[in-house]
Amino acid sequence: MTDDRDVLRDVWFGRIPTCFVLSQDEITEREAEPYYLLLPRVSYLMLVTDKAKKHFQKVMRQEDVGEMWFEYEGVPLKWHYPIGLLFDLHASNTALPWNIIVHFKNFPETELLHCLTKDAVEAHFMSCIKEADALKHKGQVINEMQKKDHKHLWMGLQNDKFDQFWAINRKLMEYPTEEGGFRYVPFRIYQPLSDRPFIQKLFRPISSEGQPHNLGDLLKEMFPVALTSEDAEKQYQVVIHGIEPMLETPLQWLSEHLSYPDNFLHISILSVPRD
Amino acid sequence: MPSSLLWAVDVHGKVYTLSTASQYWELCRDASLEFKRLAAVKQCCWGIASDQQIYIYVHLNEVPIRYQEETFENQRWNPMDGFCDHLLPSDRWQWSDITGLKHQPLKEFKLASQHWEWESNWYVDENIGGEPTDKGGWTYAIDFPATYTKSKRWNSCVRRRRWIRYRRYKSCNTWAKIPSQNTGPLPDPFHDIAVGGWEITDEPLGHLSVWAVTVLGKVFYRENINDQNPEGSSWTEIQTVGEVVQIACGPCDLVCAVLWEGQLIMRKGLNRENPKGNSWQIIEPQNSGNGFVQVSVGVNVLWAVTRDRKMWFRRGVCSENPIGTGWICMNIEMMMVNVGLNDQVWGIGSEDRSIYFRQGVTPTEYSGKAWKVIVANRDQDRSSCASSATSLVSAGYFFGDEVRWPFQPSTSDVDFSLEMEGIAEGTENILETIERDGCPHNKDVASSCPESKCDAVTSVFENISFNDETSEKSPQPIFESTSAQSWLAGGRQALQDDAKLDDAHSGLSPVNLDLAETSSASAAAIYPFGIEEHYVTDEQSLWAWVSGGGCDIEAHTQLSWFNVQSGQTFSIQSFSSYPQQTVWRKQIVQQLIERSKREVDDFKHYEQAVEQSVWIKKGTMQWWRDGKPHKWTDVKVALEQFTGNDGKRDGIFFIYYTYNDEKKYLHLFLNEVTILVPIANEAKHSFAIYTPERTKQRWPIRLATVTEQDMYDWLAVLSLACFDSRGIHGPPSHQAIWSVTCKGDIFVSEPSPSLEATSHPMPSDQLYWRQIGGHLRMIECNNQGIVWGIGYDHTTWVYTGGHGGGFFQGLTGSTDNIYTQSDVMCVYIYENQRWNPLTGYSSRGLPTDRYMWSDASGLQECTKAHTKPPSQWTWVSDWYIDFNAPGGTDRNGWQFAADFPASYHGYKTMKDFVRRRRWARKCKTVTTGPWFEVAPIGLRDLSLIPSMSQSAGDQVALWAISTKGDVLCRMGVTKQNAMGVSWLHIGTDQPFVSVSIGTYYQVWAIAKDGSAFYRGSVSPQNSTGDCWYHIPSPSKQKLIQVSVGRTSVCAVDENGNLWFRQGISPSYPQGSVWKHVSTNVRKVSVGPLDQVWIVADKVQGSHSLSCGTVCHRLGVQPQEPIGSCWDYGIGGGWDYVTVRANSMDSSHSRVQSTPVQEPVKLPPTQNGTAGAKSIKSLVVEQHEPDGRAVKC
């Protein structure tokens, strides 16, 4: 039922200009130039940083190259979050390009999961999709798919092939017309510097009166502080894919169109920057 | 599909209707009477009330039911008084009917019944065959009866004029009593009624056969029921072979009655000429020993109920063999059965008095699959039901939508295979019995005392009569409702338990739910919800009679009758709130654009993290060779797509072929492709690709794939690639040019400002056309993005703003605002015969003759058995003789001619040696597209005003012609609500065929007689105008279509001439004379810039000749509205084009783009002569036209 190809394309082709800088701690044979890339918002760091890795490895000795990880302003970047989410969460409202520091040693064991191959990303990505489908369709759609369809989803994401990905993903976005939406909307609400990683609960796209829920309804339930009362000054920004959808936007539509490829709506709630 | 109604009567005699779109039974608007029988069709419902009288309930329609009364005033000339009322004794009456035989003075016209009212007074018709008469309306002749002319000559001795007056049926949406007869045999009180027969003839329009049975067992037929006369005129008694208790009538020629003795008799000899039939035939009884008590028939089915409440299905019933071949017993007990439209079946259960619907009835399986009970609530239950829903909601629970159905009677979903087993056993038994006893039961029936039989039958009928108070209080329902309550208690218990579970979940605040948890949560969410409402609020409805004759359901129709749902359902009807037009979506799109500016635009020089590779799709196809010999050649194809440095995607399409063992290829740059169009070709799944060059040649690249799916896949892939290379996104603009091919495919093109430039306009062969899903015959639009279309079956559709559907499935197009669309059309074949002295006309032709069964041209053999519907279409009827073939037919459908091929006429003369008749068969397609049905009135033509106002709330004028020729005005059409609200009928004295409204509210229309009419005083304030001004057609030509732009008016006649109306000025809007512009024109569309576009026949290209080509008139200027010559665009194979949305004036942009250049001064035209000289008719060559593009 996902339909709005124009929006889907814009979401998919979102890019973040990034400047990779090698960490000062790394020992290099000669000075490492920064490396500039346009990163797809919907992808994962480990999938799109091969070029940067090669670039920096050229100036390093083989024995100094450990597992690569990234840091932004002292925060290790979680590779299992989509790039757009990482940027929105940690770097929105800052000047572009996004300056990411590349590390090859001192892996922050307590904060990051290891990711030795892209298979780890694939496993994580597929498990997210399955979880999302469990919420949307009790997992029926993803389970009825063939292995090769799963592969298409992954390859589509990995190779930035919109059509390949959506040819399969649209099935995950279908729902019975008479029900008006998914069973539950797969969403996660994030806050920078929060103790808990994110908020995730069961929430239906349609109210029990049959009215469609909107983004505001979701926040009212999950994160009421984010809603600004009418007269008060805005405290929080609610950001998905670098934009702030209106609170009146129907949740079902958001889920169909503004979910990341892992089929989750990743919503960042940020404090409004003061000057 | 528009909603339609199922009618039913409950045991109290209250009439209810259930809409196919609803879940609630609604009490009939006029609830003053109690009924016992109903027989519904789409437009009305007939019923027998408790006073044993017959009533009719006619649905209020936006087009009123009008009956035209006419009479002629005749006069003769004499030297004394001139023309006067003194006629010769041998003459006709002074006031007579058209033949002169019947005396008809004005004052003797009386209203047919109290349900009619006069619309106006008598007035004189001042139109004779399309020509206006002089004031007074007199037409002259030498003598009665003769041909009349409008002009008086020296020898005109007699004259006559026609007076007309309309009466209007006023008793709509109410039960109107059929007046009892004042002449002839007066029927007794009525007992049963059946309505059908609307497919048996279309002459007169809206014919219905109404059969009624009286208490004494006599059968009556109601004469003269049609659209103009819903009540009919009188009852005719039909002789029967015994006393009848009940009668049934199908849509076609099945009429069946039940005799007191329990036998079924089928009416024979029904046909177009004689819808009453001529005799009865007894259907062999089933052998259970129980006689029949009730029967119902459809087109190809017969269902009946026996005295022991068993339901029987008659196998093999059809028009050729109405008595069928054998009985099948259904394993369910019913009180009555009713067959509705599409042979769908309803019944009332004998135990629970619920209404059951037979699921799975299809043309391949008329007996259906399973009985399903209808559990819709009645509307008075609605309030209480809603309140119970809210109370549950306020408790804070979620409810699953899955509804469990604990009280489904065991019979309701009986597997058909089980039934079939039972039948098999049954028939074996029957066979045995027959062998042993000879013919046992028939004798029994005949010999037993008729009195007791009668009693038995009446008792059955008493049971279901309307005032059956006892059954309501019978122990059965009470038991059911108590058990319901006890179950309900259990349900609530379960509900609370589950709710706790749910609470527990929400108690765990931020958790990362894993899969297991999620699924357990979902299990908890399944509540048997909704059913309790049904039982708590009211006792179950007990039904006495059901009629589905007006209820249009097909196998794929989704119904919400079978479970009671909680709360309000999501209405898909609310299409007018396009997501595209909502504020939140606009804001998202806007923000995404800003995001891209912020994050991408300044950094385009950055390297892409993921490289875009070249993408290739390969396949094998067949290619219609360009060079001679033209034939299908196997080729390999490849689509290569790549991303340019600017990030734009482009592609090349390669066709690799071998010629003389030499490998060669052909390539197409996708940015040069102007259209990809599916070809109507029965033998191959093929499509054509055009470029501007190939359009000039009239010779596209034609490719065929092995499977249909393959073709649509390629079409989708290639179309997307073309969109990419041309940067096309989203729905068409409000200026778009829409067109329809002869296959019914819809194409749209974006005009550029230079298209209508006076100097160096963009050639129309460069327009890029993209396909939009759906199937239409014609399409009209205006410059506010409002688009309406009409299907082959005259269904009206409004554009929803989407841009996918058809073969753009899933993500290849958008599915936003895409709905299911269906269309029905006829496939025609011809039966040809030659006369010989021995046997008269026979199917033995000369060796040189055409096939005895052929297509229209006679070149292709087309037999009934082997003719297939076009791909994506399925048959929905059987072959039938088409009596409406152009040229007319005799009473058997034959058309005569001296020889093949020749012009045919509908009567035999001495010189005719061959004859043919046209057979038609209906087929249907179901597709998808951005179209929403505007029910219920079918249209023939429509026109939208090219609007100058851009304010969204303003009313947009839309005029239309209904299939019956009524002129209609759509009310409430705005930019926001393109569908509008309702139709307003504009009276005319004859049927109309075409209408168009210009920018300044100039409404022009064409009547059936070929003359034009101008509607006076139409304005935004007076949207319907005041009266029609008659404008004669060009001499000896019958106009068929008109189009009005800003000031220009163009019309097309039936011989393909294009006419321009000259002399139009604000003070004289009707103009003075028709000026010939061109020949070989099929359709014209005049736009808001007065631009003229046509669909033309016989356009010569450098390679081939095409039919149905879109052409653009060049040189159209305010001083030169006729223009100078044609520019040839896409085609052939096109049927319709409309440019009425393109108000993009070129002058503005041209001045801006070339400010330095001196504007090109065109030489002033010499008045008159230049225009005439430059009129260049389209190429006329005596080739057989070859509609290459779409027709192959």
Side-chain angles (χ1 to χ4, degrees), chain A:
Chain A
M1 305 273 173
T2 308
D3 30 37
D4 209 324
R5 185 177 162 90
D6 306 332
V7 171
L8 295 178
R9 281 186 68 98
D10 283 353
V11 167
W12 181 274
F13 289 105
R15 295 285 184 269
I16 295 169
T18 312
C19 170
F20 289 97
V21 183
L22 192 63
S23 161
Q24 303 287 324
D25 307 342
E26 304 292 335
I27 305 146
T28 55
E29 294 178 317
R30 53 196 144 92
E31 203 185 334
E33 295 280 323
Y35 196 77
Y36 297 92
L37 272 180
L38 276 175
L39 300 184
R41 268 182 166 268
V42 296
S43 192
Y44 295 90
L45 280 172
M46 291 305 165
L47 293 185
V48 295
T49 48
D50 286 351
K51 286 178 178 175
K53 190 175 181 179
K54 259 188 215 149
H55 171 81
F56 292 119
Q57 281 175 349
K58 275 191 271 182
V59 298
M60 293 172 72
R61 282 186 307 175
Q62 196 59 42
E63 57 267 34
D64 293 331
V65 177
E67 187 181 347
M68 179 169 67
W69 60 280
F70 302 98
E71 173 219 316
Y72 174 71
E73 292 190 341
V75 183
L77 296 175
K78 293 189 173 73
W79 58 263
H80 60 281
Y81 284 8
I83 293 166
L85 170 64
L86 289 171
F87 178 80
D88 291 345
L89 207 51
H90 302 300
S92 51
N93 306 315
T94 61
L96 290 167
W98 185 21
N99 285 303
I100 293 182
I101 297 170
V102 182
H103 294 269
F104 287 96
K105 62 182 186 190
N106 302 330
F107 192 86
E109 303 284 346
T110 53
E111 303 200 41
L112 293 186
L113 298 166
H114 281 286
C115 176
L116 295 170
T117 63
K118 285 182 183 167
D119 295 347
V121 186
E122 182 179 356
H124 167 76
F125 172 72
M126 288 314 299
S127 81
C128 281
I129 283 199
K130 282 177 185 159
E131 183 182 344
D133 198 54
L135 291 166
K136 289 195 283 192
H137 313 104
K138 299 190 214 160
Q140 279 161 354
V141 180
I142 193 79
N143 291 335
E144 276 165 25
M145 276 185 190
Q146 293 176 326
K147 190 79 194 143
K148 78 169 199 288
D149 291 338
H150 292 183
K151 219 64 197 170
H152 274 297
L153 286 171
W154 170 245
M155 295 303 286
L157 175 71
Q158 200 180 2
N159 297 329
D160 196 23
K161 293 268 172 68
F162 173 81
D163 292 316
Q164 187 181 11
F165 176 80
W166 271 103
I168 308 300
N169 197 51
R170 68 181 176 86
K171 291 182 199 150
L172 294 169
M173 293 298 178
E174 282 168 2
Y175 55 86
T177 322
E178 61 273 14
E179 283 169 27
F182 301 138
R183 291 181 62 253
Y184 299 101
V185 175
F187 72 92
R188 286 172 184 172
I189 296 177
Y190 303 79
Q191 258 198 301
L193 314 170
S194 166
D195 301 340
R196 52 192 197 216
F198 48 75
I199 301 171
Q200 176 177 353
K201 290 186 200 177
L202 294 183
F203 195 80
R204 289 189 185 273
I206 307 292
S207 74
S208 42
E209 290 90 8
Q211 293 302 309
H213 275 136
N214 60 31
L215 182 59
D217 297 331
L218 176 78
L219 292 171
K220 203 187 290 168
E221 194 87 22
M222 304 296 161
F223 205 97
V225 198
L227 301 175
T228 319
S229 59
E230 272 176 31
D231 40 351
E233 204 182 335
K234 196 167 112 175
Q235 297 279 329
Y236 289 98
Q237 287 179 298
V238 179
V239 178
I240 313 172
H241 290 291
I243 63 168
E244 292 179 72
M246 290 169 75
L247 296 177
E248 289 78 20
T249 315
L251 203 55
Q252 175 66 29
W253 189 92
L254 275 180
S255 181
E256 288 171 50
H257 297 87
L258 258 54
S259 285
Y260 278 81
D262 64 7
N263 277 254
F264 273 89
L265 266 178
H266 295 290
I267 304 166
S268 307
I269 298 192
L270 313 167
S271 307
V272 170
R274 305 265 165 247
D275 303 309

Side-chain angles (χ1 to χ4, degrees), chain B residues 1154-1168:
Chain B
T1154 56
V1156 201
Q1157 277 177 11
E1158 189 71 14
V1160 184
K1161 274 257 160 54
L1162 285 160
T1165 48
Q1166 287 103 30
N1167 256 342

